Structure formats: structure tokens, C-alpha cells
Amino acid sequence: MKSTKKSRQRAGEIHRLYEFLAGGERAGWITRSSTGHNFYLGEQLSAGERKRMRERLMPDYIINKMQPQIDLALYFCTAGRPAWRAVGVDGSDSAHAAMGSDVLQHISKVSRYTSVSSSVLRDAFTKGWGFFLVDVDPKADEGRGEVIYTSVDPWDVYADPASRDPLLTDAAYVLIAKQYTLEQVLRMMPQYAKQAKEAAQTRESMQMNFLNSSTSGQTAELFGTEAVPDTVGPVDFDSLASSYAADSTEQKYVKYFELYEKVAVPMVNLIIERQSVDPESGEPMLALEQMTMSAEEYGALIKMDPGMQELVRDISEWDKVRVVRTKSFGQTHIVEDREPLPGQDFPVVGIPWLHTGTVYPISMAWNMVGKQQEINKAHQLMIHHAMLTANFKYLVDERMVLDEEDWDRNASKPGGRLKYRRGPNGEQPQPVQPAPLNSAFYQIVQKAERDMEYLSGMSSGMMGQEDYSGREPYRGLL
């Protein structure tokens, strides 16, 4: 599409919408969503926490109880293959219904639906949202095209904040924002090579543009005075870009947008009087015919045939909701403007794990973060206490120790000999025994594990280990 002043203005509007949606409440949701997702992946301690624990000689490992719980839930949701079936309204529609079932089954097969649905549900469990995208691959089937299902990263989807429906059916728009390297865009969309090269920017330029925008202050305020993290929020760079010289200052990136909007198309219902022939008598007769068309088509028809207007006996106007799609690069280039799509619903279908009445749902992983931290802390304290028990501390007069390095080396060594001299009054080094560990720690761990099963809805009985013996893990899956 040729770049004009109007198209540049339209691209700027889409980019400003992106900046508006990126701040505010969404920034807080991204923080919660990414925290739950990182805990699921085992990234449960920050660099500062690890440093403080190592300074205190405490263990810094974690016991990831979240991952098996979520994976088990994912298994039960994806173990069976979906059976697509269209049902006719009455018996005469059975042939059409069978054809519809076959078409749906074919789409599921070419889309690798089982894999796509697993990815969508994993996103819903760990990030809060999971998104299907119904699209057309024009290059598939030897250029004849195929309807396919794909998944979209929920952190790339910016829905209308006013939406209250879990499936976003009441949303006015849905924006998908992705960031690619220039090389990726040239391979995926070679027909837009010129626009992509003009819209490409370096990583530093993109970060500065975002931080200087009018809404970035909301996100910066949420995260504090420091710069917004690269892996959270609008400055999150697509995972695909990491393979292309991420440390190079000359590497260029392209911000790509797909905006889906609902627009009202003026329509008219016409009742037209036409002359016809009675099939029985063969005599001419007047018949009424009903037609539906867009107001634009009706205007063009009247312009071509002015006499058509005299045949109209009744006309009623109404608005039909249509979904249109706009594709753009950066802030300046529109490559596809308001392309009409079939149907009245967005091709982006969201599946929330726990809908909150807003477009910011809660994930299963976020619900279990507190219990996971409780389990980690209890295990760390128990192991730390065991380390203190195995490594005695001694109260000694500094004049008793002959060689401090030798003492430190042999104090906890099995069979090690500690050389010392007696004190003036015959004193000897006195070992300091740690206080016994409170049995409540063991109860805390067991209760936390049961609480985590309760929060996830996946009990140990489903894994075949009701007694927590662990001898028959995942027996319930066999």
C-alpha cells in the first residue's frame, strides 16, 4: 500500500492506541502473569534473593511443585482428540451437516490442532490468557490456501479494556503487537519489504520511543524509578528475535501491528415489485421480492438504473456489524487498511483460566505462587538447620587456637583433629549446639503441598500416590 499522509496518520493512531493500552492496569497484569509463568518454569528466586541467601550460607535451590500440578491439569485437558461434529436443524440438512463436520475435521488436521490447543491451554494456566487465532494461509495447498488455527502469545494481545465477556465478543477492538527482526519480516512478508525497511529501528531507539511516550510514565511508576525490564510489558522483545545478534547495536527490529475492529456497515432491506408470470395460468402478475444489500450497493444500483427506485415499495435501514483488519509497521506505514473479514466475531478467541470480569484474568500459576514460596522457604530453613547441625560452632578464646585456617578446615571434617591450647584456667573449646528444629516445619510443608493440590484441582490421587509415597507416580495417567 502506498504511503500517504492519510495512511501515516492511520498508522500513528494505531501506535498511540498501543501505547495507551500498554500502560495502566495492563502493566500490573503483565507483572503478575510473568511472575506466575516464571515460577512455573522454575525461575522463583531473584538475583538479589540468591545473593542474600548465599551470603548467609543458605541453600538457594527450589522444590518446584507447581510444574507437575499444572502439567497434570494440561494432560487431562488435552489427552483426548476433539471430535468435530455439525448438526443439521432437521433431517434434510444432514448432508450439509456431514460436509461441515468433514471441513472442521480437515481444518483441525492441517492446523495440528492438538499441538496448538496444548500451547493455548498452557498459556491460560501459566499466564492467565490463552488465544486461538483463526487465519488463512494463502501459500498452503499449492497456493489455493487453507483455513488454519494458530496460537498467539497472550502478552502480544491488547484487548479493549471495556470488554467484560470471557470470549471478548463485546470488545470493540483487539490489537496484536509483535516485534520481529528485519530479517524475519523480509522472509515472512517479502511483499512488504520496502515498508519494513523504512519502519525498522534499533533496540535502543525503540526503548527510547516507548519511554518518551505519554503513557509510559504509568508503567515506569508501577515498576519504580528504574527502567522497565526488557522481559516485561510493552518493551518485551519477541522470543524469536533473540536468535539474531541480540547483543548487536546495529540489529534492527520492526514493530508489527494487526488491529481487528468492529465497524457498522449501513444496510437496507428492500421490497421490490416486479412483473412475473403466473405458473398456472400463464398470465402476467405482480410479485413482491425482498432483497438485502449494503447502502453503498443500493446507491450504486440506483445510479446505474434510476428506474429501479420506482419499483421499491418499502425500504428499511439497519446496521450490520463487520470485523475489519488493519496491518501496520511502526508508526508510519499501513500495509493493509480495513480489510473486511467474514463473520461478526473476532478471529482472535481468548480462553481465560479465571475470568475476573475484565480483560486481565488470573492464571493458575499465580494462584499457587504464595504456596510455592512457602514450600521453598520451609525446605531452605530445614536444610540450613541440617547444615548447622553437621557443622558445629565453637566458643573459644582466641588464644586457644593455634592455627585458625587449620581449625576452620577440620572443625566439620569427619575424623578431623582440632589442635588447641588450654586456657589459663584449663578451659576447653565449647561446641554450640543449634536449637532443635520445630516440628511445625514438617507440617507446614505437608499442608502446603495439599493446599497446592487444592488450588490446582489436581489431587495426588490422580497421580496414583494418595499416600505421598511416590512409588507409583502418574499411575492415574496410565
Side-chain angles (χ1 to χ4, degrees), residues 394-408 418-423 429:
Y394 289 87
L395 290 178
V396 296
D397 189 299
E398 61 181 4
R399 294 171 295 180
M400 296 182 184
V401 179
L402 300 176
D403 187 338
E404 291 186 1
E405 293 184 1
D406 180 73
W407 182 281
D408 294 337
L418 300 179
K419 299 179 180 180
Y420 67 94
R421 64 168 62 93
R422 291 181 178 273

Side-chain angles (χ1 to χ4, degrees), residues 73-331:
L74 184 63
Y75 166 81
F76 282 115
C77 292
T78 60
R81 291 181 176 273
W84 301 94
R85 184 181 179 186
V87 180
V89 177
D90 53 40
S92 63
D93 293 331
S94 58
H96 295 86
M99 182 174 62
S101 299
D102 292 341
V103 169
L104 291 173
Q105 193 68 32
H106 173 74
I107 295 174
S108 175
K109 180 179 179 181
V110 299
S111 302
R112 298 187 296 276
Y113 180 81
T114 302
S115 175
V116 173
S117 62
S118 297
S119 176
V120 171
L121 290 175
R122 182 177 285 106
D123 285 341
F125 291 159
T126 61
K127 299 180 181 180
W129 269 122
F131 283 99
F132 285 100
L133 175 63
V134 183
D135 203 356
V136 175
D137 184 358
K139 299 179 182 179
D141 195 15
E142 299 181 352
R144 289 185 287 268
E146 289 277 12
V147 177
I148 59 173
Y149 304 134
T150 61
S151 62
V152 184
D153 191 320
W155 295 341
D156 292 337
V157 179
Y158 300 75
D160 178 7
S163 175
R164 295 295 177 263
D165 185 77
L167 300 179
L168 303 178
T169 57
D170 60 342
Y173 56 84
V174 175
L175 176 66
I176 297 178
K178 296 185 178 182
Q179 187 156 285
Y180 299 116
T181 63
L182 179 58
E183 291 84 354
Q184 286 177 303
V185 177
L186 296 179
R187 285 199 302 270
M188 294 187 302
M189 295 174 276
Q191 67 273 29
Y192 304 134
K194 180 179 178 182
Q195 296 92 327
K197 290 179 180 178
E198 293 177 355
Q201 292 180 296
T202 62
R203 181 188 292 263
E204 290 76 10
S205 299
M206 284 191 167
Q207 289 178 335
M208 290 304 298
N209 288 340
F210 173 77
L211 293 175
N212 290 334
S213 66
S214 58
T215 59
S216 63
Q218 302 175 17
T219 308
E221 181 180 357
L222 180 71
F223 287 102
T225 57
E226 299 179 357
V228 180
D230 286 349
T231 57
V232 177
V235 288
D236 173 44
F237 291 95
D238 194 275
S239 59
L240 294 175
S242 62
S243 61
Y244 290 95
D247 58 342
S248 173
T249 58
E250 299 301 322
Q251 179 67 54
K252 289 191 175 182
Y253 299 87
V254 179
K255 201 71 179 178
Y256 172 70
F257 299 101
E258 285 187 8
L259 176 63
Y260 298 89
E261 302 172 276
K262 287 185 177 179
V263 297
V265 180
M267 305 290 290
V268 293
N269 287 332
L270 305 175
I271 297 180
I272 301 175
E273 187 178 71
R274 293 184 183 275
Q275 285 194 355
S276 63
V277 178
D278 190 334
E280 296 182 358
S281 63
E283 296 180 358
M285 61 175 292
L286 294 177
L288 297 179
E289 180 182 349
Q290 184 174 349
M291 299 178 62
T292 300
M293 63 182 68
S294 67
E296 184 179 356
E297 292 172 339
Y298 176 64
L301 182 61
I302 295 300
K303 188 175 181 180
M304 291 176 56
D305 185 7
M308 181 72 179
Q309 195 167 8
E310 299 178 1
L311 303 177
V312 177
R313 294 294 175 260
D314 185 48
I315 181 171
S316 60
E317 300 179 354
W318 58 287
D319 291 332
K320 180 179 181 180
V321 176
R322 292 288 300 273
V323 175
V324 296
R325 177 178 62 191
T326 301
K327 298 180 180 180
S328 65
F329 289 132
Q331 305 182 44

Side-chain angles (χ1 to χ4, degrees), residues 53-54 56-61 379-393 412 434 437:
M53 295 177 72
R54 288 173 179 174
R56 300 170 185 174
L57 299 180
M58 293 186 67
D60 60 353
Y61 65 87
H379 276 283
Q380 289 162 0
L381 289 175
M382 287 190 293
I383 297 299
H384 184 58
H385 183 271
M387 294 171 60
L388 292 178
T389 304
N391 296 273
F392 288 120
K393 293 182 179 179
S412 60
L437 183 65

